[in-house]
Amino acid sequence: LFVGYYKQDPADAFDRDGFFHTGDLGRLDERGALHFVGRLKDVIKSAGVNIAAAEIEAVLLAHPAVGAAHAVGVPDPLRGENVAAFVVPKAPVTVDALLAHCRDALAAYKVPRHLWVRREDELPQKGSGKVDKPRLREEAARLAAATADAVPP
């Protein structure tokens, strides 16, 4: 789509195959439409371990009832952060089913300790239509602090 990046040598901006790596993560739906999922650098730091939010989201998106997933870190006094996730279903699904799916695919420390099901219109959005991750993080922190029933790993 372009041959250069402002004030950068093309060799520094593009890989050897000519691709420009933005750090964005996306997925193709059944129609071939590309959907923005998140940033590869979006990291949750839990008990000294870096957990890519994109990995948690990809596992949740692999569940047939999930239409969208957004993982964020929530403050935890012992671990630094815990994994929390918001899921937008495209078919009926329970939180227990989603957590079981995560336990089958992820290491125990990556399984969300908090998981909420939402409609798409209930998620905070930027003017661009993308989910506002900082506001989502704030909401997750508020919800996690308000409940003592964190999901066991």
Side-chain angles (χ1 to χ4, degrees):
L1 296 175
F2 59 97
V3 295
Y5 196 67
Y6 185 66
K7 292 188 178 183
Q8 273 196 4
D9 184 303
D12 294 333
F14 300 94
D15 69 16
R16 69 172 194 247
D17 296 319
F19 288 98
F20 177 73
H21 297 272
T22 64
D24 292 328
L25 181 67
R27 69 173 175 83
L28 294 173
D29 67 16
E30 58 280 351
R31 296 173 300 134
L34 179 64
H35 297 268
F36 176 79
V37 173
R39 300 280 302 155
L40 290 174
K41 294 181 181 177
D42 194 4
V43 174
I44 299 163
K45 296 178 181 175
S46 184
V49 179
N50 291 340
I51 303 167
E55 179 184 4
I56 310 308
E57 293 164 353
V59 167
L60 285 164
L61 284 168
H63 191 285
V66 174
H70 308 282
V72 296
V74 294
D76 180 78
L78 299 175
R79 303 172 64 85
E81 289 183 308
N82 281 327
V83 177
F86 291 87
V87 170
V88 177
K90 60 183 178 183
V93 65
T94 65
V95 168
D96 288 340
L98 294 172
L99 291 172
H101 173 75
C102 288
R103 286 186 189 103
D104 287 344
L106 295 167
Y109 66 92
K110 295 179 181 181
V111 173
R113 291 184 177 240
H114 307 276
L115 195 145
W116 301 283
V117 175
R118 294 287 189 271
R119 291 188 325 264
E120 191 77 38
D121 64 349
E122 293 177 320
L123 299 175
Q125 293 190 343
K126 296 181 177 184
S128 64
K130 294 179 183 177
V131 170
D132 188 336
K133 278 276 190 124
R135 284 185 46 212
L136 201 60
R137 238 180 249 105
E138 290 171 9
E139 182 179 349
R142 183 179 52 75
L143 291 169
T147 179
D149 3 293
V151 178

